[in-house]
Amino acid sequence: MSESVQKHEGPSSQAIERLSKPAIWIFGATILGRMLGFVRESTLAAFFGVGPEVDAFIMAQTVTYILFSFLGPAIGTAGIPVLSVLHADRRVEAFRNVSLSLLHVVVIVLVGFTLVGYSMAPLLIHTIAPGFTGHQAELAIHLTRMMMPVTIFLGLAGWATTVLQSQNKFGYSALSNIPNNAVVIAGMFAAGFLGGIEWVTVCYVLGVAAQFLIQLPVFKTTGYKWFIHLKDKDFKKIITMAPSTIATGMGGQINVIVDRFFSSGLAVGSVAALGYGQRIFSLFVGVVQMPILVVLFPKLSEKVGLGKEEEFMHLIRKGLGILSFFMLPIAAILVLMAIPITQFLYERGAFNQTATLITASIVCFYSIGLPFLSWKEFILRSFYAMKDSRTPVLNTTMQIGINVTLNSISVPIFGIKGLALSTAISEMVSFFVLYNVLRRRMYKKTGVKAAHFPVWKSLVSVGAMVAVIFGMSNLLDLHLFDRTVQSSFALALDLGLIVIASGLAYLVISFVLKSDELQFCLKTALHMGSKFLPSKLSGYVMAKARMNRVPKRNM
């Protein structure tokens, strides 16, 4: 490693350690929110299964998210790099002006999209879901119109999150999903007893509104006054980045549209099964990946804005390593245990055995691409932090082309599973392309390939974990590749024992291999735990942690 990187490694490491506390709080809040999310999905599955009503509801959600994605991605992705630098420079008035100008533009644009979406609902549904006919198509159009206000509330929530996270305030945004899920769950029970999925739709709109309302304290930070400073040079930076960030965000939605398009022509319930599978997959993306990305993105933007490129490079390497440490074992668990996990989470009421097997196959194929998705999302944010929005747009365009091509080939062969497999492969290709572009660019700028990250230790540890999963499943007589006929309690107990045993195996091998990421996690845990210990013991624990810190090796 060059001396320059060593020189900056200390401050950068300290920055990561300071961010570990908000990451842990976000992790905890996200777990609670996701648990409520699965109560929500399980309730929907129990009352409605994978029938045509759920297909219509999910398709209506897709339409609203498509409209939101025309502007939504630009709120945070373009806003945080600018606002975080203003906050770091203590330019309070400029921060306020840019924040409120952004708010007013978001509201004006999304109100317009909402009105257009309401009037064009029939065209949108027939375009995205050509397989829907008769009552199912009419229901999807009706639910889409009911959901239209969601677009505005999502924009307001996204703006509040952007302003707070730019100031390294993560609590309110982390908690925002909790009232959202609580309100929707209430609506599902009402729908189950009163009949009609319209109740779910109404409460879904109210839940998204609550997601914004919980973040209202942001106005204490900015104050409020109506204006739009279009000529402000900092606001212009957001406007300049907005088209490309919108294009990149739309790319993700286009991939969703493509999957919905192909699934709508398959058997009834295919759209619902795809949605349930995506929920399980996205649970771990939200719980593990998002807290890391949320806390590192503003810091990456700050390092670039202040010209600290070598610290920026070290943050990239550290972030990729931490994501690898968590996402590789999670992907292995989901691939191998998709059926028992799906059976435990969903199989009750109208969600039958066939639905379990279909949904589990989707989870399995999606999970193959899980580590690549997390790495890609982190590197995308690195490009945005560097104010480079062109590279993400080109990469997203390439990924869409790969996904459409693979869907056309795989769906006739594998059916609904082909959609998930195509997505996983496109995520792999997208990551490798972005990763190599980033490494070359950083090498040209500084002469140091600091974006390289060690992954072999995590892979070896995952191998040990996989062996334990197979051994424990045989010992407990739990079928990994078929349903196991047993009670929900027994299934939960078996799953818990296997996850704990395999997780311990992963940690032990990581410890033997002296994984940097494990040592970082242990140090963070010691730091957090020391606050609950007596002062003398706390000082001793932290001193030992510093003494045992392993020197960094060459990149």
Side-chain angles (χ1 to χ4, degrees), residues 253-298:
Q253 289 301 318
I254 290 173
N255 279 324
V256 171
I257 294 171
V258 169
D259 288 349
R260 297 285 190 263
F261 178 88
F262 280 96
S263 63
S264 70
L266 299 174
V268 173
S270 294
V271 175
L274 189 67
Y276 289 131
Q278 289 171 336
R279 296 295 195 283
I280 296 176
F281 172 78
S282 63
L283 167 68
F284 298 95
V285 173
V287 168
V288 180
Q289 171 186 303
M290 289 312 297
I292 297 172
L293 299 185
V294 163
V295 299
L296 284 181
F297 184 36

Side-chain angles (χ1 to χ4, degrees), residues 1 14 72 138 168 182 209 263 272 304 327 341 391 398 490 517 537:
M1 185 194 305
Q14 292 171 4
E138 292 177 2
N168 295 320
S263 63
V304 173
M327 303 313 285
I341 288 174
T391 300
M398 176 199 69
E517 288 70 35
L537 182 57

Side-chain angles (χ1 to χ4, degrees), residues 529-541:
S530 66
K531 297 182 178 181
F532 301 97
L533 299 174
S535 57
K536 290 185 178 180
L537 182 57
S538 172
Y540 173 77
V541 168

Side-chain angles (χ1 to χ4, degrees), residues 122-415:
L123 176 62
L124 291 170
I125 289 297
H126 290 309
T127 301
I128 297 171
F132 283 13
T133 57
H135 174 70
Q136 189 178 31
E138 292 177 2
L139 178 61
I141 293 169
H142 175 57
L143 296 181
T144 298
R145 285 175 166 164
M146 290 180 65
M147 285 188 193
M148 276 300 119
V150 164
T151 304
I152 299 171
F153 290 125
L154 284 173
L156 291 171
W159 170 81
T161 297
T162 296
V163 173
L164 289 169
Q165 290 181 359
S166 298
Q167 303 170 83
N168 295 320
K169 297 178 181 179
F170 305 100
Y172 289 109
S173 58
L175 293 171
S176 62
N177 277 326
I178 295 175
N180 182 352
N181 286 321
V183 173
V184 176
I185 290 169
M188 288 179 180
F189 275 102
F193 291 109
L194 300 177
I197 202 165
E198 288 86 354
W199 282 96
V200 181
T201 306
V202 170
C203 288
Y204 172 67
V205 175
L206 295 176
V208 177
Q211 190 173 343
F212 164 65
L213 293 175
I214 196 176
Q215 300 183 79
L216 276 182
V218 71
F219 282 106
K220 294 181 180 179
T221 303
T222 62
Y224 183 76
K225 185 177 180 182
W226 173 264
F227 57 76
I228 301 178
H229 289 169
L230 293 176
K231 296 183 179 181
D232 185 284
K233 64 177 182 178
D234 295 304
F235 185 65
K236 282 183 178 179
K237 293 177 183 178
I238 298 179
I239 299 299
T240 301
M241 289 184 64
S244 53
T245 56
I246 290 171
T248 304
M250 277 298 297
Q253 289 301 318
I254 290 173
N255 279 324
V256 171
I257 294 171
V258 169
D259 288 349
R260 297 285 190 263
F261 178 88
F262 280 96
S263 63
S264 70
L266 299 174
V268 173
S270 294
V271 175
L274 189 67
Y276 289 131
Q278 289 171 336
R279 296 295 195 283
I280 296 176
F281 172 78
S282 63
L283 167 68
F284 298 95
V285 173
V287 168
V288 180
Q289 171 186 303
M290 289 312 297
I292 297 172
L293 299 185
V294 163
V295 299
L296 284 181
F297 184 36
K299 189 59 63 175
L300 287 169
S301 301
E302 179 184 318
K303 297 298 182 186
V304 173
L306 300 177
K308 299 179 179 180
E309 292 181 347
E310 291 170 2
E311 292 185 28
F312 169 79
M313 292 157 60
H314 179 65
L315 280 173
I316 292 174
R317 180 185 184 277
K318 196 73 175 179
L320 289 171
I322 293 172
L323 286 169
S324 302
F325 182 75
F326 286 106
M327 303 313 285
L328 286 171
I330 289 173
I333 289 174
L334 288 176
V335 169
L336 294 176
M337 302 177 66
I339 292 177
I341 288 174
T342 304
Q343 183 180 347
F344 169 69
L345 291 174
Y346 286 135
E347 192 175 300
R348 57 188 60 85
F351 199 96
N352 57 25
Q353 300 175 9
T354 302
T356 293
L357 295 177
I358 295 173
T359 304
S361 66
I362 294 169
V363 173
C364 177
F365 283 109
Y366 267 135
S367 301
I368 294 172
L370 181 58
F372 301 96
L373 169 65
S374 64
W375 296 332
K376 183 203 77 174
E377 290 296 324
F378 181 65
I379 293 179
L380 277 175
R381 282 162 174 77
S382 301
F383 280 104
Y384 285 127
M386 294 186 289
K387 308 295 191 299
D388 175 6
S389 51
R390 180 174 177 270
T391 300
V393 170
L394 294 176
N395 185 268
T396 301
T397 303
M398 176 199 69
Q399 185 177 356
I400 293 171
I402 294 172
N403 195 34
V404 171
T405 303
L406 291 177
N407 279 342
S408 302
I409 297 171
S410 62
V411 170
I413 301 173
F414 300 107

Side-chain angles (χ1 to χ4, degrees), residues 507-538:
L507 293 175
V508 168
I509 299 302
S510 296
F511 182 80
V512 171
L513 296 175
K514 297 182 179 179
S515 165
D516 292 339
E517 288 70 35
L518 176 60
Q519 292 187 36
F520 170 76
C521 293
L522 290 175
K523 183 177 179 181
T524 300
L526 285 173
H527 178 71
M528 295 293 292
S530 66
K531 297 182 178 181
F532 301 97
L533 299 174
S535 57
K536 290 185 178 180
L537 182 57
S538 172

